[in-house]
Amino acid sequence: MSQTSYENQPLIISGWSVESGVGVNSFLLSAALEAADRGYRTVLIELDTLHASTSVRTGMTHKTRNLEKWLEYRKNEGSYMDIKDYLLNSKIWLNEQTAKNKSLQSIIEEIHPNFFQFTPSQEVDRFSGYNVPLFDDMIAEMIEQLKANGFEAIFIDLPSEILTQGVAQAMSLSDEIVVMTDGDLAHTVYTRKQLDSFMKEIDPDHFKIVINRVPTELIPAVEKNLGYKAWLTIPEDSKMMEYSMDLLPAGPDGFKKSAVKFLDGIHLKRKRGIKAVGKSEREKEKAQGFFSKLRAR
């Protein structure tokens, strides 16, 4: 695909893995933040309501600007509300939530205002997530409204349960589908079966297979079990947990480089005149981070 393919239509990227915890949300969040930094009006939709983590990773949560409130209105009233009133970005959070969460102000200020999240709030956990209503037509409605609101890059974090409402439609409407796996044999075998099934319905060129947390020397063995070559590999990085605890959602350098490589590979180049944002002061001063403080004791 060329960059001109995205000029009049939003680029839609969905991400799926056979099991939660493989790294899809972390990767999509890092890529979405990078897309925002490149000058694109970007949104990350998180449909995995049973394992929602975006609002925790970014530190941004809101009682009304979230996915569950938008869907609850659809359930109760039979129609969808204007999605713009349910989106959350750093500018909105800082205007409305700073007084209640002053300790997070400096953290949220680092998130590019081009990045929006349309995700479950921190009030949704693995139990209440079962009560969030999902609908067959919700993805098409989301995309249509987001397009009307000027969004250029739409990232969709899909639940592992492929029969969940919205998963099939999201894949069918996506320009790029990230399928992520790790070195676990059961994960790899089941991912292979699902890929074979997916590719009967969707053009194989839309799929981008990403292997995460596998040592370089073992990647050929994983690819053999998978039956497909990896489009991208993400190196093991022992600092992922540390960056997560320090609320640095884009991840450490190695992880961010993978997101950069991904966006370059799908030709979502930096817009002209948009300068890259350098490392934040918190990234430069990792010696003051959570784990670094523990090690210093």
Side-chain angles (χ1 to χ4, degrees):
M1 291 185 179
S2 64
Q3 187 174 5
T4 56
S5 302
Y6 310 140
E7 287 182 351
N8 300 315
Q9 296 289 335
L11 171 64
I12 303 169
I13 303 166
S14 59
W16 177 87
S17 64
V18 72
E19 187 72 42
S20 63
V22 173
V24 171
N25 181 266
S26 297
F27 180 72
L28 291 184
L29 177 55
S30 186
L33 290 168
E34 174 64 21
D37 180 53
R38 293 183 178 202
Y40 296 91
R41 187 170 169 85
T42 302
V43 62
L44 173 59
I45 302 168
E46 186 174 25
L47 294 182
D48 192 359
T49 59
L50 300 183
H51 309 96
S53 58
T54 301
S55 63
V56 176
R57 293 179 189 277
T58 63
M60 295 192 297
T61 189
H62 198 284
K63 288 186 176 181
T64 60
R65 288 183 172 273
N66 56 59
L67 178 70
E68 68 264 27
K69 292 298 184 184
W70 190 74
L71 292 172
E72 285 170 8
Y73 186 91
R74 165 67 173 81
K75 178 183 177 181
N76 296 330
E77 303 298 331
S79 61
Y80 291 106
M81 290 291 286
D82 192 335
I83 203 169
K84 73 175 185 295
D85 295 326
Y86 295 81
L87 301 175
L88 182 63
N89 73 344
S90 58
K91 184 177 180 180
I92 294 170
W93 190 97
L94 289 167
N95 286 338
E96 298 183 11
Q97 302 294 313
T98 299
K100 301 176 184 178
N101 302 278
K102 290 185 178 180
S103 61
L104 291 175
Q105 181 176 350
S106 62
I107 294 171
I108 307 303
E109 285 175 342
E110 295 175 358
I111 299 176
H112 201 295
N114 275 345
F115 169 81
F116 290 74
Q117 63 185 47
F118 188 44
T119 69
S121 70
Q122 291 180 12
E123 299 299 317
V124 176
D125 56 27
R126 300 188 78 175
F127 301 100
S128 60
Y130 281 102
N131 297 320
V132 176
L134 302 175
F135 303 93
D136 289 329
D137 64 342
M138 63 182 180
I139 297 296
E141 178 70 23
M142 289 176 188
I143 291 173
E144 190 63 30
Q145 287 203 38
L146 290 168
K147 177 183 175 182
N149 279 276
F151 281 89
E152 301 163 289
I154 301 172
F155 292 78
I156 309 174
D157 180 8
L158 299 174
S160 298
E161 297 77 9
I162 58 174
L163 297 180
T164 302
Q165 287 172 292
V167 172
Q169 187 179 66
M171 285 191 173
S172 67
L173 294 175
S174 294
D175 299 291
E176 311 290 351
I177 305 168
V178 173
V179 174
M180 183 174 287
T181 190
D182 52 19
D184 183 273
L185 181 59
H187 291 173
T188 303
V189 171
Y190 189 68
T191 300
R192 177 176 183 164
K193 291 182 179 180
Q194 290 306 312
L195 277 169
D196 290 343
S197 177
F198 292 155
M199 290 184 184
K200 292 177 182 178
E201 305 293 333
I202 301 172
D203 186 344
D205 289 341
H206 288 293
F207 289 90
K208 300 293 184 285
I209 299 170
V210 178
I211 295 179
N212 188 28
R213 297 196 297 259
V214 175
T216 303
E217 63 273 15
L218 295 181
I219 288 175
V222 175
E223 290 178 325
K224 183 178 179 180
N225 291 329
L226 189 61
Y228 297 93
K229 285 286 187 181
W231 191 83
L232 178 70
T233 60
I234 302 176
E236 288 186 291
D237 198 324
S238 60
K239 292 184 178 181
M240 276 300 297
M241 184 180 294
E242 181 177 342
Y243 272 65
S244 176
M245 293 295 289
D246 282 333
L247 285 180
L248 292 164
D253 287 344
F255 199 82
K256 286 194 291 187
K257 287 178 181 177
S258 296
V260 167
K261 187 175 180 180
F262 173 76
L263 294 186
D264 288 345
I266 62 174
H267 307 290
L268 196 68
K269 304 296 185 182
R270 182 173 299 280
K271 285 188 175 183
R272 292 181 181 178
I274 301 295
K275 295 182 179 180
V277 176
K279 284 188 176 182
S280 69
E281 289 304 312
R282 290 193 306 122
E283 287 179 289
K284 293 177 182 178
E285 299 173 2
K286 278 298 290 146
Q288 296 180 11
F290 177 84
F291 279 93
S292 297
K293 287 180 179 178
L294 289 182
R295 288 195 294 267
R297 290 181 178 178

